[in-house]
Amino acid sequence: MKLRLSALDNFALNPIDTQKQVFNDLIGTAQFTEYGKQFDFEHINSIKEFKQRVPVNDYDSLKPYIQKIMEGQQNVLWPSPINWFAKSSGTTSDKSKFIPVSRDALDDTHFKSGKDVLSLYLRQYPQSNIMSGKCLTIGGSHQVNQLNADSFYGDLSAVMLQNMPFMGQVMRTPELSVALMDEWEAKLEAIIYSVFHENITFIAGVPTWTLVLIKRILEIAGETDLHKIWPNLELYIHGGVSFTPYRKQFQQIIPSANMRYMDTYNASEGFFAAQDNLEEEGMMLFLNHGIFFEFMPMEEYGKEDPQTLTLRDVEVGPNYALVISTNAGLWRYLVGDTVQFTSTDPFRVKVSGRLKHFINAFGEEVIVDNSDHAIAEASKKTGAIVNDYTAAPVYMSGNENGAHEWVIEFETLPVPLETFTFELDKALQAVNSDYEAKRHKDIALRMPLVHRMQVGGFNQWLKSKGKLGGQHKVPRLSNERKYLEEILAFMEA
């Protein structure tokens, strides 16, 4: 761990040079791949030339190359063999993405980052006993890719579990056969009974599914405090969605001042960042983990030839779309997340939302970071506990102004729904001046419309779409009403 800390310190002190070296390594390694030949990587001598020659890609533009790899061709996007794909939907979209995962990406990005997360934690808490027990992880599932008998795909967590080094397997629980079960609800029960008497010192996973698991464990044990079951539990490593709406629930079921929470930024495409200071917002970018980063100003998004910035030119505050080039052959790939820098020394970011997850029907520009904050503030003011939510615009019609329509699943709501709605609207106005301007005297937006979803309702909806568990999650915000209409119809059925 100390060896890893010296490497972390080195790139934190030399971020620009580190990223330049990563860029050169990626271009040099891939110059004789099909993609490298097409865009003449051999004669790219600078980041500027790279930007001029290689287009910004989304999944659809790289899909023809990925399809070739899935059918068994190699040396297409990356020279080393690719036999694994991380299946990602990100939201409840019917389309699945198959992200290539090379051995380089597993070793130099995902597994290295896992070590670095623990290294950063142990630097802050050197007296920790975290290594004396095991990590509870909730894996996805995987299955053989039928296009090619030698290739496999599954949730990223499943791909990692299947390829994890021996030491990683020793440190985690449950056993692999349970972690990789395909049927989510059966797996949940199997996990519970296989880890009940383990010495769990830390947990890693997406907050939504982790909460479901913990609540079921407490129910079976007849307890209300998780430390009664796992007294040595000290850390929860979370990612995937904002932790802000979930923090209060975790603090209720783990009511200990010694319990710590660590934010990470991990996706199917790569492991990008982790908190290096648990007392401050923002995650330190991992700059020497096989990923070259670019940041697209939001005004460039959607342009035919969008301009991007490197670390040298970013600023604290603005929203940027994240663009990456990786050691699995994703070239200038638009991840779909928006990030904000909270610091440039060292470079720290927070995830502020998704490119397609926002509401801007009336010029209000509400992003997920705004809505998560507003939900948390309204919950604090009212004593409510929110499990999940989604929202979309109500368009102007006749003499009625527009509005935002919400479906919120409350674990607890000790006040009338109208009171929570008032606090939610007030908090959103406080954090977003554009929304506040549109709400002034109901000029463009009237008071939000809020529906209460029954407890467990969002999970039932996901199950009805065959998307329960794994990396599937409810879309928090949408600028069109497709998901909201589906959910409202499901509630009425």
Side-chain angles (χ1 to χ4, degrees):
M1 294 298 177
K2 286 180 179 177
L3 289 172
R4 288 306 314 149
L5 286 172
S6 65
L8 289 164
D9 289 341
N10 183 59
F11 76 67
L13 290 169
N14 305 284
I16 307 301
D17 289 343
T18 299
Q19 275 284 278
K20 184 73 183 297
Q21 183 61 54
V22 169
F23 168 78
N24 288 334
D25 289 345
L26 291 174
I27 291 294
T29 303
Q31 61 183 317
F32 299 120
T33 61
E34 179 182 325
Y35 196 86
K37 290 176 181 177
Q38 182 181 343
F39 292 97
D40 197 19
F41 280 15
E42 187 179 3
H43 296 106
I44 290 178
N45 297 308
S46 67
I47 294 170
K48 183 179 179 182
E49 286 181 19
F50 178 64
K51 289 184 180 185
Q52 290 171 343
R53 194 165 293 175
V54 181
V56 172
N57 290 297
D58 59 12
Y59 182 77
D60 287 338
S61 57
L62 287 182
K63 187 176 179 180
Y65 302 95
I66 294 172
Q67 191 67 37
K68 288 182 181 181
I69 306 170
M70 293 181 73
E71 290 169 0
Q73 295 185 45
Q74 295 293 351
N75 204 36
V76 178
L77 291 169
W78 189 251
S80 61
I82 292 176
N83 303 113
W84 284 90
F85 300 86
K87 184 181 178 184
S88 170
S89 59
T91 69
T92 48
S93 166
D94 291 330
K95 292 182 179 179
S96 292
K97 298 184 292 186
F98 293 88
I99 306 299
V101 182
S102 66
R103 189 74 240 179
D104 307 89
L106 283 170
D107 292 340
D108 297 335
T109 303
H110 293 290
F111 294 144
K112 184 195 284 187
S113 296
K115 294 175 192 172
D116 289 350
V117 166
L118 292 178
S119 299
L120 289 170
Y121 177 74
L122 289 169
R123 165 177 276 176
Q124 294 171 76
Y125 304 99
Q127 304 307 313
S128 165
N129 290 314
I130 196 171
M131 306 304 283
S132 67
K134 290 192 174 183
C135 176
L136 171 59
T137 57
I138 307 173
S141 60
H142 83 281
Q143 57 195 110
V144 175
N145 170 10
Q146 298 302 311
L147 294 171
N148 174 10
D150 296 325
S151 296
F152 305 87
Y153 68 81
D155 293 342
L156 173 69
S157 56
V159 174
M160 290 179 64
L161 287 173
Q162 192 69 53
N163 291 278
M164 190 172 286
F166 173 75
M167 186 52 67
Q169 296 288 8
V170 169
M171 287 179 60
R172 54 157 300 281
T173 191
E175 63 183 55
L176 207 57
S177 61
V178 172
L180 293 174
M181 285 175 66
D182 206 15
E183 209 287 306
W184 176 254
E185 289 169 311
K187 177 166 76 174
L188 207 60
E189 294 298 310
I191 288 175
I192 290 166
Y193 288 103
S194 66
V195 303
F196 221 94
H197 302 292
E198 293 272 18
N199 176 25
I200 305 295
T201 53
F202 63 118
I203 300 173
V206 178
T208 40
W209 306 118
T210 303
L211 266 178
V212 170
L213 179 71
I214 290 174
K215 286 178 180 178
R216 182 73 178 122
I217 287 173
L218 291 172
E219 181 185 337
I220 291 170
E223 298 284 357
T224 57
D225 181 349
L226 196 60
H227 269 145
K228 296 287 178 62
I229 300 168
W230 296 321
N232 297 319
L233 179 67
E234 63 174 272
L235 174 65
Y236 174 44
I237 302 169
H238 55 85
V241 296
S242 168
F243 191 58
T244 303
Y246 300 103
R247 186 177 294 276
K248 186 174 180 180
Q249 285 196 68
F250 274 89
Q251 289 171 343
Q252 284 192 336
I253 57 181
I254 315 173
S256 168
N258 296 322
M259 184 66 188
R260 304 180 185 110
Y261 301 91
M262 188 173 189
D263 202 1
T264 61
Y265 185 12
N266 188 13
S268 299
E269 296 86 356
F271 203 129
F272 306 131
Q275 245 178 321
D276 62 319
N277 184 344
L278 270 58
E279 303 301 318
E280 291 184 19
E281 184 180 41
M283 298 170 281
M284 183 172 73
L285 275 175
F286 289 156
L287 301 178
N288 71 339
H289 290 47
I291 298 174
F292 176 69
F293 294 100
E294 298 174 63
F295 304 91
M296 183 191 296
M298 291 308 295
E299 59 268 22
E300 295 291 322
Y301 178 59
K303 291 184 179 180
E304 190 172 323
D305 183 25
Q307 300 303 301
T308 62
L309 307 176
T310 56
L311 286 177
R312 193 185 298 276
D313 300 310
V314 296
E315 299 175 359
V316 171
N319 274 308
Y320 299 106
L322 184 63
V323 178
I324 58 171
S325 297
T326 76
N327 53 7
L330 296 177
W331 298 105
R332 303 201 75 200
Y333 182 83
L334 199 59
V335 175
D337 293 328
T338 60
V339 299
Q340 291 175 324
F341 280 87
T342 61
S343 163
T344 54
D345 185 20
F347 286 101
R348 294 192 184 108
V349 297
K350 68 173 184 176
V351 181
S352 54
R354 297 278 295 172
L355 284 171
K356 295 181 181 178
H357 289 195
F358 59 87
I359 303 178
N360 193 28
F362 310 96
E364 66 273 46
E365 297 187 26
V366 173
I367 60 175
V368 174
D369 192 54
N370 299 156
S371 58
D372 279 345
H373 175 85
I375 285 281
E377 279 297 304
S379 298
K380 185 178 175 181
K381 290 284 178 62
T382 62
I385 297 175
V386 173
N387 288 339
D388 218 333
Y389 71 89
T390 191
V394 178
Y395 296 103
M396 296 177 180
S397 61
N399 295 323
E400 277 198 318
N401 286 349
H404 288 179
E405 190 167 10
W406 299 65
V407 175
I408 303 177
E409 180 184 316
F410 294 94
E411 182 74 19
T412 303
L413 182 61
V415 299
L417 186 60
E418 293 76 15
T419 303
F420 184 89
T421 302
F422 174 80
E423 293 295 344
L424 175 68
D425 178 62
K426 183 177 164 186
L428 204 50
Q429 289 190 51
V431 77
N432 184 313
S433 58
D434 291 317
Y435 178 82
E436 181 185 33
K438 303 302 183 294
R439 281 285 294 119
H440 181 64
K441 296 184 178 179
D442 294 352
I443 290 172
L445 289 169
R446 52 197 158 97
M447 182 67 76
L449 309 173
V450 179
H451 308 274
R452 184 173 184 177
M453 169 72 86
Q454 66 185 42
V455 176
F458 277 121
N459 283 351
Q460 291 170 21
W461 176 65
L462 286 169
K463 184 180 179 182
S464 74
K465 295 173 70 66
K467 295 185 177 295
L468 185 64
Q471 294 185 336
H472 303 298
K473 42 191 178 277
V474 176
R476 290 282 167 82
L477 301 178
S478 180
N479 207 37
E480 46 94 25
R481 292 182 57 83
K482 177 189 171 189
Y483 295 123
L484 188 75
E485 298 287 2
E486 280 185 21
I487 292 167
L488 291 172
F490 178 80
M491 290 170 67
E492 293 173 3

